[in-house]
Amino acid sequence: LMAGERRRRGGDGPRERPRERLRDRDPKLRQQQKPQRGSGRGRTALALTAAAAALALCLAAAAAGWKRWSEASRLVTPHPAPPAVPPGSTGPLASPTYFWGTYRPHVYFGMKTRSPRAVVTGLMWLQHGGNLRHTSEQNDGVSRYGWLMHDGENFGVQEIRDEGLLLRTEFVKQPGGDHGGDWSWRVTAKMEGKGPAPLLSLFFYVATDGQGTLRPVLENGTRLAAVAGTAEELGDFTLTFLPPTGEGGEGPKYASYNFLAAGVPGLHRLTDLVRHSLRESSVFSPPGRPRRRFFGVSSTGGLPGEAPRGQLLLHQVTLEPPAVLEVTLESGSAAGTRQGRLAGPALSAALARHAAAFERRFEDTFGLGTRGASLPQRRFAQAALSEMLGGIGFFHGRSLLRSEHREEPLPGMESVLFTAVPSRSCFPRGFLWDEGFHLLLLARWDPALARDILAHWLDLLNADGWIPREQILGEEARSRVPPEFVLQHSETANPPTLLLALERLLPDAPLPYLRRLFPRLRSWFEWLNRTQAGPEPFTFRWRGRDPDPERFLNPKTLSSGLDDYPRASHPSAQERHLDLRCWMALGARVLAALAERLGEPHAPYRDMAAALSDNALLDQLHWAPELGTFADFGNHSSAVALRWHRPAPVPGRPPAAPQLRREVREAPRLQFVAALGYVSLFPLLLQLLRADSPRLPALLGSMSSEQQLWTPFGLRSLARDSPLYLRRNTEHDPPYWRGSVWVNINFLALRALHGYARAAGPHRERAAKLYRELRQNLVANVFRQYEATGFLWEHYRDSDGTGQGCHPFAGWSALVVLAMAEDY
């Protein structure tokens, strides 16, 4: 024992006390020590009972504390199964194709590697008299932007329109060496329309995030001609900034140059750092032309009071458009195999080769030309796919988690994630249920890429089998999220759409890959089955509904992915959620097929899939005869409304502002929820209904009824005759899934109708007719809105088809490409 332990125990071992030795020798003293009968014995018993009770309380408290600690510990502990992404498999030697990429979806143009603390590169620009552009923002005035071509591997072309300025950003990668090879950028700037060209500054930068070193190579003391760098996974590299030329390659083009070398407190502060360093002290003085002052970066700088964690080297070029600028990155380990710098005519030739290969591959994959799609429609479909591929990001960091057993938030396990994102402007990070839809399209274009992304998501599993629904990894990602949405709650699930994608990937996926996935998929499914169980066998209930029912017209269910879609007005443990039950049926079906292919026990999954697909049991639990449709069940009242309430006055204080609160005019009761819409369709959407089901006519009727779900633009999310159709949820919470047309659910509807139209049954012709009309309406409207605005949108207004919500939204809205190809 240590000395401290010995001191607390009174020495090296038990010792006889002097009083005990004396008593043993003296009979009188032994007689005095005999216990008395009667009350003394009672007091002893009471003391023993009290001691036992206190001990029991202490043990119970200790057990409760241990349980809380254990659950909190499991929350942040990685799952014990071998990783789905083998260690080292994403590095430059094992995966050179995907090592470098446009993996910074939150910026207009930038590249990085799939490394936890990567060297990052990017572009900013400033039309003098306007605003500095860097990160893609929803309402910053950039009228159009997006990838027109992007193959997800080696090549991309993007156009950006900003207040009369047209920027075309292009890149090509070139393999070679042991560190991911070389790449080259071309940025073409020109003005649209007539009039004098404003001064334009383009800022090309390279920055580190905690590792790596950068050394500036200056020309004439003012122009940053190159950056010599070294980093863990990149080795030695050189980034070269070539002088600008005219639009046709002639030139050189006159320009003024500034450079900045600064410490960076974090990559999320890059825009602020550059903005802080700008001074209106530089002069643009072309020969024989008037001199003009402009904002230039100072040569050194930083953000006051913030300790640097990395380096930034920035090259500012100020000129009058039109102009072409090129940047090359050359890997030191590729020097022996490089045929020459990929710039000028060589870059033009490479871009042309890749563009032609992209066109051929796109037609071979989707066949839109052979289907009679027009050239504008094919260009639109290429842009939709490319914007999804160009929005793939690589993230590193820790989520911020909250356990239901602990008050304080916990930083999650250190994680990396390779994923597509829903929107570069609004949601440039990973969302669990979105990603399953993204992978349906990516799996068709590049199955290996889709498998890699799916494996990255499964490696986010914790020891309990939980995956947080929103992945906010790293400071750059966190800086784009409102504080109230940063915390991820441990009881909150999300639809297991990854299994929808796995079902598509399953037939051709290599067996070793599937074996790595299976333990994690099994654990995730078991977590869903355990934590989202409903009040009766074979029922399920989303956890985590909004806890303040008086604030919301109908408390949201963010875990379902359908956010404000109407559920039971009064959340309770008695709820049965139809969509979750259908997702679990899909999950059991896919896991059964996976287990069978791997030779693993599959009977439990087969039995569960059979029970959850049993149409009679589905009827018993979720068919609402009084509503004529499938529905949720719970403690519900349809007689609810938002009313302004003025809080009672408090003496000595100014009057409080009125509040919009919910009024319940009729007490809730256990009943089916009258909210015909997307949730009602889930037994059809996931094809759980038999082709001869007597319930199919009612659902097909609701889908084709203009008073209910049918619109000329796709199926609306909530029927027009529903009590909460287009109703606000709070003063600041407009309707979301209460009438708008959403592409992901419409895609599931097309997929299901296509299946029912091919299955033998009495409703085959009706399903085929509905399929043809719905496909025409959906594709035509999404294309029409893209032509008018230049964007895919988050959702579409049911009254006129106008795009709404976030843009660009080339997440699940890009599924329109599969609808055009009729590839389900």
Side-chain angles (χ1 to χ4, degrees):
L1 291 173
M2 296 176 63
E5 287 292 318
R6 289 198 298 268
R7 281 197 299 272
R8 285 200 300 273
R9 294 179 180 218
D12 292 329
R15 294 181 177 177
E16 265 187 336
R17 293 189 178 95
R19 176 69 175 172
E20 290 170 342
R21 292 199 301 270
L22 178 62
R23 184 191 65 206
D24 291 342
R25 286 197 304 267
D26 190 332
K28 292 182 179 178
L29 287 175
R30 287 203 304 270
Q31 183 68 29
Q32 289 173 8
Q33 294 300 318
K34 288 183 180 179
Q36 298 180 6
R37 298 179 182 274
S39 61
R41 181 177 292 175
R43 284 195 299 272
T44 301
L46 286 172
L48 289 171
T49 302
L55 179 61
L57 287 172
C58 289
L59 290 173
W66 168 260
K67 185 172 184 291
R68 286 193 299 272
W69 178 88
S70 175
E71 287 168 342
S73 176
R74 291 177 64 80
L75 182 68
V76 300
T77 300
H79 194 274
V85 179
S89 64
T90 63
L93 281 173
S95 182
T97 302
Y98 299 118
F99 185 60
W100 273 106
T102 52
Y103 301 146
R104 306 182 66 209
H106 65 294
V107 302
Y108 285 108
F109 186 48
M111 290 177 67
K112 65 183 284 190
T113 61
R114 293 204 297 177
S115 305
R117 283 170 293 278
V119 171
V120 304
T121 59
L123 169 71
M124 305 182 193
W125 74 91
L126 172 65
Q127 292 191 71
H128 290 275
N131 296 315
L132 181 67
R133 310 292 197 198
H134 180 214
T135 56
S136 50
E137 307 287 347
Q138 175 79 0
N139 298 307
D140 66 355
V142 175
S143 57
R144 288 190 180 209
Y145 65 95
W147 292 98
L148 305 180
M149 295 184 182
H150 198 304
D151 65 3
E153 299 175 2
N154 300 306
F155 151 85
V157 179
Q158 178 182 221
E159 283 191 355
I160 303 167
R161 285 178 163 81
D162 177 22
E163 298 178 350
L165 172 67
L166 173 61
L167 284 178
R168 185 178 176 92
T169 67
E170 302 168 278
F171 78 91
V172 169
K173 289 160 54 180
Q174 183 169 261
D178 299 331
H179 300 89
D182 303 342
W183 53 252
S184 296
W185 291 358
R186 175 176 288 168
V187 177
T188 305
K190 61 183 179 181
M191 301 305 298
E192 297 183 300
K194 298 179 180 179
L199 274 185
L200 172 68
S201 285
L202 296 164
F203 306 84
F204 299 91
Y205 68 83
V206 56
T208 63
D209 186 26
Q211 67 87 19
T213 58
L214 306 173
R215 182 175 60 83
V217 179
L218 296 178
E219 183 181 275
N220 299 325
T222 58
R223 191 178 94 83
L224 184 63
V227 174
T230 185
E232 287 174 359
E233 288 197 282
L234 277 180
D236 296 330
F237 64 91
T238 302
L239 192 69
T240 303
F241 305 108
L242 299 172
T245 64
E247 188 178 3
E250 73 283 352
K253 176 92 177 181
Y254 177 81
S256 292
Y257 300 101
N258 301 72
F259 79 93
L260 171 64
V264 184
L267 297 179
H268 64 299
R269 301 286 277 149
L270 285 174
T271 308
D272 295 327
L273 192 157
V274 173
R275 189 179 287 122
H276 182 264
S277 73
L278 289 170
R279 305 283 186 274
E280 196 177 14
S281 56
S282 298
V283 178
F284 182 79
S285 52
R289 304 278 300 281
R291 292 160 57 92
R292 285 190 275 178
R293 300 183 77 82
F294 67 91
F295 284 92
V297 294
S298 53
S299 59
T300 58
L303 290 171
E306 298 187 47
R309 200 173 64 206
Q311 285 180 272
L312 167 70
L313 289 179
L314 179 142
H315 171 57
Q316 178 181 354
V317 187
T318 302
L319 46 71
E320 293 175 326
V324 176
L325 299 96
E326 294 179 357
V327 179
T328 66
L329 181 135
E330 293 172 314
S331 171
S333 63
T337 58
R338 187 178 300 117
Q339 298 298 311
R341 175 171 285 168
L342 191 60
L347 178 56
S348 297
L351 286 166
R353 284 196 307 273
H354 281 286
F358 175 82
E359 296 259 12
R360 288 193 300 271
R361 180 179 173 186
F362 188 87
E363 180 59 26
D364 290 344
T365 303
F366 301 108
L368 299 189
T370 59
R371 289 180 168 275
S374 67
L375 181 61
Q377 288 172 328
R378 298 199 301 275
R379 291 278 182 260
F380 153 69
Q382 289 174 0
L385 169 69
S386 297
E387 184 67 5
M388 180 183 283
L389 288 164
I392 290 174
F394 185 82
F395 304 91
H396 167 254
R398 299 176 185 268
S399 294
L400 196 60
L401 310 177
R402 168 155 287 169
S403 167
E404 55 189 316
H405 306 288
R406 183 185 172 108
E407 287 293 323
E408 304 82 14
L410 289 168
M413 57 196 182
E414 187 174 2
S415 303
V416 296
L417 178 61
F418 186 50
T419 183
V421 304
S423 168
R424 290 168 62 192
S425 61
C426 293
F427 306 116
R429 53 193 178 276
F431 284 76
L432 179 54
W433 97 293
D434 293 65
E435 197 58 25
F437 290 109
H438 301 163
L439 290 175
L440 292 175
L441 179 57
L442 295 178
R444 190 68 185 90
W445 175 254
D446 188 342
L449 175 65
R451 291 195 298 266
D452 197 5
I453 290 174
L454 176 56
H456 272 85
W457 272 96
L458 292 177
D459 276 346
L460 299 172
L461 209 70
N462 76 355
D464 287 325
W466 174 61
I467 303 175
R469 58 180 284 272
E470 187 172 348
Q471 292 296 318
I472 308 167
L473 302 176
E475 291 173 327
E476 284 192 287
R478 191 167 296 176
S479 68
R480 302 292 297 269
V481 182
E484 63 269 25
F485 295 115
V486 170
L487 271 181
Q488 303 298 300
H489 295 262
S490 63
E491 77 279 8
T492 303
N494 225 199
T497 55
L498 295 182
L499 293 169
L500 198 65
L502 179 63
E503 191 172 39
R504 181 162 197 151
L505 290 165
L506 191 56
D508 300 315
L511 282 177
Y513 170 81
L514 295 176
R515 289 194 190 284
R516 291 197 304 272
L517 262 55
F518 184 64
R520 292 174 173 273
L521 289 166
R522 181 175 55 200
S523 184
W524 184 35
F525 187 75
E526 288 170 356
W527 181 88
L528 286 165
N529 197 30
R530 181 177 70 252
T531 65
Q532 310 296 302
E536 300 174 32
F538 302 111
T539 66
F540 297 88
R541 175 173 65 89
W542 295 112
R543 303 306 199 264
R545 292 192 65 192
D546 276 319
D548 182 5
E550 300 312 309
R551 181 184 165 203
F552 302 97
L553 181 64
N554 188 274
K556 295 196 297 293
T557 314
L558 294 177
S559 52
S560 72
L562 305 178
D563 295 13
D564 69 342
Y565 187 95
R567 307 282 181 168
S569 61
H570 292 66
S572 71
Q574 284 73 46
E575 285 182 85
R576 306 197 295 258
H577 290 139
L578 172 63
D579 53 332
L580 178 52
R581 188 182 192 277
C582 295
W583 284 121
M584 295 301 290
L586 168 80
R589 182 179 79 210
V590 175
L591 277 170
L594 174 58
E596 188 171 9
R597 181 163 180 213
L598 293 175
E600 298 281 349
H602 62 276
Y605 299 116
R606 284 274 180 229
D607 293 345
M608 184 175 182
L612 292 177
S613 302
D614 183 274
N615 283 201
L617 185 56
L618 179 64
D619 263 19
Q620 180 184 327
L621 295 169
H622 285 286
W623 180 259
E626 66 275 23
L627 304 176
T629 192
F630 290 103
D632 284 348
F633 183 86
N635 194 29
H636 182 65
S637 171
S638 294
V640 296
L642 294 175
R643 293 283 183 267
W644 288 103
H645 288 264
R646 187 174 295 278
V650 178
R653 294 186 181 179
Q659 298 176 339
L660 198 61
R661 307 293 287 180
R662 185 175 77 169
E663 284 186 354
V664 181
R665 297 190 297 269
E666 182 180 305
R669 59 183 176 84
L670 290 175
Q671 59 178 315
F672 287 107
V673 178
L676 174 64
Y678 285 168
V679 164
S680 315
L681 301 180
F682 259 83
L684 178 150
L685 296 177
L686 297 185
Q687 300 176 66
L688 303 182
L689 294 180
R690 299 189 311 270
D692 62 351
S693 167
R695 303 307 183 198
L696 266 179
L699 296 188
L700 296 174
S702 296
M703 293 167 75
S704 58
S705 167
E706 294 184 8
Q707 280 300 113
Q708 295 182 320
L709 303 181
W710 186 261
T711 82
F713 320 106
L715 299 176
R716 59 169 62 92
S717 45
L718 191 63
R720 285 180 64 185
D721 55 7
S722 171
L724 297 191
Y725 170 69
L726 293 186
R727 297 278 296 278
R728 301 184 71 87
N729 213 34
T730 70
E731 177 187 1
H732 306 292
D733 200 358
Y736 199 44
W737 292 84
R738 296 185 181 178
S740 289
V741 174
W742 294 77
V743 173
N744 62 329
I745 303 300
N746 274 268
F747 177 79
L748 291 180
L750 287 172
R751 179 174 172 267
L753 290 170
H754 189 260
Y756 285 118
R758 291 171 171 238
H763 316 299
R764 184 176 185 176
E765 291 185 9
R766 188 177 182 185
K769 179 175 183 294
L770 196 57
Y771 165 76
R772 290 192 299 270
E773 294 173 356
L774 177 60
R775 176 178 172 270
Q776 168 62 29
N777 287 355
L778 181 72
V779 170
N781 185 64
V782 176
F783 171 63
R784 184 165 54 245
Q785 294 303 314
Y786 177 83
E787 289 286 280
T789 66
F791 295 115
L792 290 170
W793 292 79
E794 185 180 10
H795 51 100
Y796 296 84
R797 188 184 298 150
D798 67 325
S799 58
D800 60 9
T802 299
Q804 293 184 304
C806 293
H807 64 278
F809 197 92
W812 58 44
S813 293
L815 288 173
V816 68
V817 178
L818 292 180
M820 294 172 75
E822 296 190 88
D823 188 344
Y824 306 109

